[in-house]
Amino acid sequence: MPFNFVTASFIENSIMEELRTRYAASIPDRQFSGSSKNQTRAVKEALAQLGRGLGYQSRYEGLAWSSQFLYDFVWITTSSGALDLQEGGYFSPKEAIKTFELATEIEWSVSSDERYYDFQKLPLCRARLRCLLFYFPAHDDVEHEFEALRSIA
């Protein structure tokens, strides 16, 4: 898929819709708190399914043969163009990374410090899209939080 502003907007909207329909519907409203492997797995599986449909490989901890690859979740393309990696998930000259499409950090902690820690990794990344998924208590000032994150970038 050629990458441009329209593509980025389409992917952003697709991610939000996928998470709304597949992920949010499976978790009772406002039941996010602290670290949850089930929540994180649901997000990663939703992103992997979306990425595969767009022609991207997904790398994340939780695959039977893969550990975390730099970020909590990534979409990549490789020189071979394969959508599935060989068992073991290692790169080789035939399977070198060609593009880094999406880098995602996922943080369910209510701690601002945890969000800031994860967010600081994203501006350094060369992925075309960078995403921070996090829980934010409804009673807190979300605009203040976004300003704090913008000041880090």
Side-chain angles (χ1 to χ4, degrees):
M1 168 178 279
F3 202 90
N4 55 40
F5 178 76
V6 174
T7 306
S9 294
F10 169 76
I11 291 172
E12 178 183 357
N13 291 333
S14 297
I15 289 171
M16 289 188 300
E17 185 59 29
E18 184 73 20
L19 295 178
R20 268 191 216 104
T21 58
R22 179 178 169 153
Y23 173 68
S26 68
I27 309 266
D29 193 31
R30 299 288 174 217
Q31 295 277 332
F32 303 94
S33 61
S35 175
S36 171
K37 288 183 180 183
N38 290 337
Q39 291 169 334
T40 302
R41 185 179 323 115
V43 167
K44 290 176 180 179
E45 288 172 357
L47 290 174
Q49 181 176 354
L50 177 61
R52 186 173 182 79
L54 295 170
Y56 304 132
Q57 284 185 21
S58 297
R59 289 288 182 95
Y60 57 95
E61 185 174 17
L63 293 172
W65 45 263
S66 181
S67 60
Q68 183 171 314
F69 178 71
L70 301 176
Y71 297 90
D72 291 337
F73 183 94
V74 298
W75 283 344
I76 59 171
T77 61
T78 62
S79 52
S80 73
L83 287 178
D84 295 310
L85 293 173
Q86 312 243 334
E87 178 109 5
Y90 292 104
F91 296 105
S92 68
K94 289 166 107 179
E95 204 59 48
I97 295 175
K98 185 176 176 184
T99 62
F100 201 17
E101 300 296 333
L102 172 74
T104 304
E105 282 294 317
I106 303 168
E107 184 54 60
W108 301 127
S109 172
V110 296
S111 164
S112 293
D113 289 343
E114 294 293 328
R115 283 191 296 277
Y116 299 159
Y117 173 79
D118 277 356
F119 180 77
Q120 288 182 57
K121 300 179 212 176
L122 293 171
L124 303 173
C125 179
R126 294 194 61 183
R128 295 180 188 199
L129 291 172
R130 291 157 280 194
C131 178
L132 175 66
L133 299 174
F134 64 94
Y135 168 73
F136 194 80
H139 63 275
D140 287 351
D141 182 3
V142 72
E143 285 305 316
H144 180 265
E145 184 70 9
F146 283 130
E147 272 308 309
L149 291 170
R150 281 186 202 103
S151 72
I152 294 170

